[in-house]
């Protein structure tokens, strides 16, 4: 299987909303979105602690490389046609450093931001993309 596993906090409305958006942008089915409540999450990334997984999204490649936070966004962005421009900007020298700082701030405040921006309500409105069941294979 050549899918990249994206591990996310499914108890965070903002994270769930972002994964719904990613599922719609993933036309080529390059990603397998795995919530932390799924037992597969521990199988996919046994070396990553639950606390680390709750702090940021992680992308695990088929070869076992792990990308975290803004670097995961950059990695995933290069695999989704509409996000390629964002990913390329994150390759400009110094930008990823700033992106990591912003990502950490958003991550620490994501539950508050979810309430402020109504992510839970937006999640209820946005339909989940029907995809084949993601499997470890």
């Amino acid at each position: 299987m050549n899918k990249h596993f994206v591990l996310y906090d499914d108890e965070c409305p903002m994270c769930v909303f972002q994964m719904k958006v990613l599922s719609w942008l993933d036309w080529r089915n390059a990603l397998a979105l795995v919530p932390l409540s799924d037992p597969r999450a521990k199988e996919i990334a046994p070396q990553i602690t639950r606390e680390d997984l709750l702090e940021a999204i992680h992308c695990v490649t088929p070869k076992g490389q792990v990308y975290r936070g803004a670097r995961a966004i950059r990695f995933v962005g290069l695999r989704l046609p509409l996000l390629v421009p964002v990913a390329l900007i994150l390759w400009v020298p110094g930008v990823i450093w700033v992106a990591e700082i912003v990502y950490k701030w958003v991550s620490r405040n994501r539950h508050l931001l979810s309430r402020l921006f109504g992510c839970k309500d937006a999640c209820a409105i946005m339909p989940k993309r029907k995809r084949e069941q993601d499997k470890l294979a």
Side-chain angles (χ1 to χ4, degrees):
M1 180 174 217
N2 292 327
K3 288 193 180 211
H4 304 287
F5 293 99
V6 178
L7 306 171
Y8 69 97
D9 179 3
D10 54 326
E11 293 181 15
C12 167
M14 180 181 283
C15 301
V16 171
F17 178 74
Q18 290 171 350
M19 292 307 115
K20 282 187 176 185
V21 171
L22 278 184
S23 74
W24 282 98
L25 295 175
D26 185 18
W27 304 325
R28 299 180 309 177
N29 293 319
L31 307 175
L33 308 176
V34 182
L36 295 183
S37 64
D38 188 323
R40 295 182 304 157
K42 189 67 177 161
E43 294 172 21
I44 293 166
Q47 72 278 26
I48 305 172
T49 66
R50 179 152 175 81
E51 293 75 30
D52 284 342
L53 289 170
L54 288 170
E55 287 179 7
I57 66 166
H58 287 73
C59 182
V60 181
T61 70
K63 293 182 180 180
Q65 291 177 287
V66 178
Y67 297 92
R68 178 184 201 274
R71 293 176 195 280
I73 292 170
R74 180 174 70 182
F75 180 83
V76 167
L78 287 174
R79 279 128 190 99
L80 306 178
L82 288 178
L83 292 183
V84 167
V86 173
L88 291 177
I89 290 170
L90 291 172
W91 277 104
V92 172
V95 172
I96 195 68
W97 181 77
V98 173
E100 287 288 356
I101 292 170
V102 171
Y103 187 95
K104 286 177 186 175
W105 183 86
V106 170
S107 177
R108 277 194 312 270
N109 297 291
R110 69 181 190 254
H111 294 288
L112 172 65
L113 293 170
S114 292
R115 285 194 300 269
L116 288 175
F117 293 111
C119 290
K120 196 168 220 165
D121 296 332
C123 282
I125 294 169
M126 186 174 191
K128 185 175 181 180
R129 179 177 168 217
K130 294 185 192 294
R131 298 165 39 133
E132 285 184 31
Q133 184 70 12
D134 293 325
K135 297 182 181 173
L136 282 176

